[in-house]
Amino acid sequence: MACTLNRDDPFGGLPPKHCLDGGYKPIFTDKLQLEEALLFTKTTLEDNLKANLNLVRVSAPLFVTRASGFNDNLNGVERPATFEPRDFPGIHLEVPFSLAKWKRWALHYYKVEAGKGIVTDFRGLRCDDDVDFTHSLYVDQFDWEKHIKPEDRNVEYLKNTVKSIYKALYDTEQAVCKKYGFDAVLPEELVFATSDDMIKEHPHATPKQRENILCEKYKAVFFMGIGGMKEDGQLRHDGRAPDYDDWTTERPDGGFGLNGDLLVWNPILKQSFEISSMGIRVNPEVLLKQLDLCHVPERKEFVWHQMLLDGTLPQTIGGGIGQSRTCQFLLRACHIGEVQHGWYNPKEVEILKKDGISLLGLGEFEADPHAKSS
């Protein structure tokens, strides 16, 4: 998601002003009912994803070794949460940012045939992420990956997969709204757009402004072509690591990248809202090209990269669907902390509480869980 956090504003992580001062009323005020709604939403979405994409649920690691190269490098500058086992000094274990690489290995490990895939309930930590009303240090997402044939590495296959994911989201919203008695907002049809075209049409707009323009107009958009640089050396839209999504392959429309973000218009926040980041993954040739473009050719010596380069790992498509992010949207919450046990700026938490916005669990407290709470 293109970031809008203003680091010069001491309260830059708060929801938009129209949500404050009584402008927002949560649907769920009973915490147990909220927990039931969270479980229903997540279970329904996962079941729809498994059915639409032909996925099987598998378990996932909480940490990986640094030397394996299995961690997702995101933009390449983020610091992973790291620890050493007590009895094994010098061994560095990392909490993954996501399972982008692990999932591809898992398809090989579980011997998943082409046309089928896996989904897992991923929990991770991102200590360098923005902490605001849509971002948390704690990451929970449905990480999925599907084995595809080499000839499936094309735009048509990408679009068909995206449509299946959107149908899962659409049907989940219909079920949630029917169960809890509020109106659905997602359109039946998803619109596809490209970062290349939007840069040409709105050259002076920020990435977030381009997303807002699209989502306000169409309500649900797959924004294709994320990662890589423009001719002036600036990001084409947003950053992507070089070793999972393919963001360099030229498409028939003249743009670049077989990946993208699934975005919707959030009626509570009145802005674009990312649900999922996904794409067709790199093959050996694209991997080497993107490692060079990002000036990290040494990564090809890692175990995971060697397995991809020697053909051990299959061709895949995959992505992550934020669980708390999706629940924030579907349950009409203005702050992600309303649907997730996290930690947030204590000064902002106090403002939220005065406005009647209660965060879940210890995210409501600065340090002392015995502190008074509204």
Side-chain angles (χ1 to χ4, degrees):
M1 174 188 287
C3 179
T4 58
L5 180 66
N6 182 358
R7 300 184 184 280
D8 296 325
D9 183 349
F11 303 113
L14 287 172
K17 291 181 179 179
H18 69 263
C19 293
L20 305 176
D21 298 324
Y24 159 76
K25 301 296 182 185
I27 292 175
F28 299 93
T29 55
D30 181 279
K31 288 293 192 292
L32 275 181
Q33 186 189 35
L34 171 62
E35 289 288 0
E36 291 173 350
L38 290 171
L39 178 60
F40 177 78
T41 303
K42 293 177 184 179
T43 301
T44 303
L45 179 59
E46 182 182 359
D47 287 344
N48 288 336
L49 288 170
K50 288 190 293 186
N52 290 7
L53 294 177
N54 196 18
L55 306 177
V56 176
R57 171 74 174 265
V58 298
S59 53
L62 184 60
F63 48 82
V64 296
T65 62
R66 179 184 299 174
S68 70
F70 270 55
N71 203 350
D72 174 3
N73 298 101
L74 298 180
N75 292 310
V77 297
E78 294 85 355
R79 301 168 301 157
T82 306
F83 68 98
E84 294 184 5
R86 182 195 62 192
D87 297 330
F88 298 92
I91 298 297
H92 299 282
L93 301 178
E94 298 179 346
V95 179
F97 295 123
S98 84
L99 296 177
K101 296 192 184 76
W102 180 89
K103 293 177 298 179
R104 195 164 180 178
W105 170 85
L107 289 174
H108 161 71
Y109 176 76
Y110 287 112
K111 298 180 174 60
V112 178
E113 62 192 47
K116 294 184 65 174
I118 59 171
V119 62
T120 190
D121 181 7
F122 167 69
R123 311 297 173 94
L125 296 173
R126 296 183 180 178
C127 57
D128 286 330
D129 253 21
D130 298 320
V131 179
D132 62 15
F133 60 97
T134 63
H135 295 82
S136 172
L137 302 177
Y138 166 54
V139 182
D140 57 343
Q141 60 186 28
F142 291 123
D143 254 329
W144 65 274
E145 199 81 10
K146 189 172 182 179
H147 184 174
I148 64 175
K149 300 175 182 177
E151 56 267 31
D152 293 329
R153 300 189 74 260
N154 58 67
V155 173
E156 198 62 33
Y157 192 94
L158 172 66
K159 287 185 175 181
N160 287 336
T161 302
V162 173
K163 290 176 183 177
S164 295
I165 293 172
Y166 182 71
K167 182 67 164 55
L169 177 68
Y170 177 86
D171 288 346
T172 300
E173 187 193 39
Q174 294 292 314
V176 169
C177 290
K178 180 179 179 180
K179 184 175 179 67
Y180 295 105
F182 55 93
D183 294 333
V185 297
L186 290 174
E188 288 191 49
E189 298 297 324
L190 176 73
V191 170
F192 289 84
T194 73
S195 59
D196 309 272
D197 286 343
M198 286 301 290
I199 288 171
K200 293 176 183 176
E201 293 175 22
H202 305 280
H204 303 298
T206 67
K208 183 62 178 179
Q209 288 170 339
R210 295 185 195 113
E211 292 179 359
N212 285 337
I213 291 168
L214 279 170
C215 289
E216 185 171 17
K217 181 177 181 179
Y218 298 112
K219 308 309 178 190
V221 177
F222 186 71
F223 199 78
M224 193 157 45
I226 308 293
M229 301 294 179
K230 297 184 291 184
E231 292 182 359
D232 61 5
Q234 299 297 311
L235 279 173
R236 202 161 87 246
H237 184 74
D238 201 357
R240 285 294 187 272
D243 35 19
Y244 56 105
D245 282 358
D246 180 340
W247 40 262
T248 55
T249 293
E250 186 171 5
R251 302 187 305 269
D253 61 23
F256 295 87
L258 299 176
N259 68 347
D261 290 340
L262 177 57
L263 307 169
V264 298
W265 181 253
N266 190 308
I268 303 298
L269 302 176
K270 302 187 187 309
Q271 60 183 238
S272 64
F273 194 81
E274 181 186 318
I275 297 294
S276 176
S277 173
M278 60 162 290
I280 290 176
R281 307 306 200 186
V282 296
N283 61 16
E285 294 75 24
V286 173
L287 171 65
L288 292 174
K289 179 179 180 179
Q290 292 185 177
L291 289 178
D292 285 340
L293 286 172
C294 292
H295 309 292
V296 287
E298 67 278 2
R299 287 189 195 172
K300 64 178 179 287
E301 304 303 325
F302 289 150
V303 173
W304 184 91
H305 297 71
Q306 286 291 307
M307 294 180 73
L308 176 57
L309 292 171
D310 68 17
T312 299
L313 301 183
Q315 299 294 298
T316 67
I317 186 172
I321 300 172
Q323 293 184 34
S324 292
R325 183 76 64 79
T326 302
C327 287
Q328 181 183 353
F329 171 73
L330 292 179
L331 301 182
R332 309 296 189 254
C334 78
H335 195 291
I336 195 169
E338 295 177 81
V339 297
Q340 182 196 81
H341 288 261
W343 181 92
Y344 308 92
N345 182 339
K347 294 180 180 178
E348 293 182 350
V349 170
E350 287 303 311
I351 294 174
L352 293 170
K353 288 164 68 174
K354 289 178 183 177
D355 284 332
I357 302 172
S358 177
L359 304 189
L360 193 61
L362 298 180
E364 193 173 286
F365 304 100
E366 178 175 358
D368 180 8
H370 295 291
K372 291 182 179 181
S373 167
S374 59

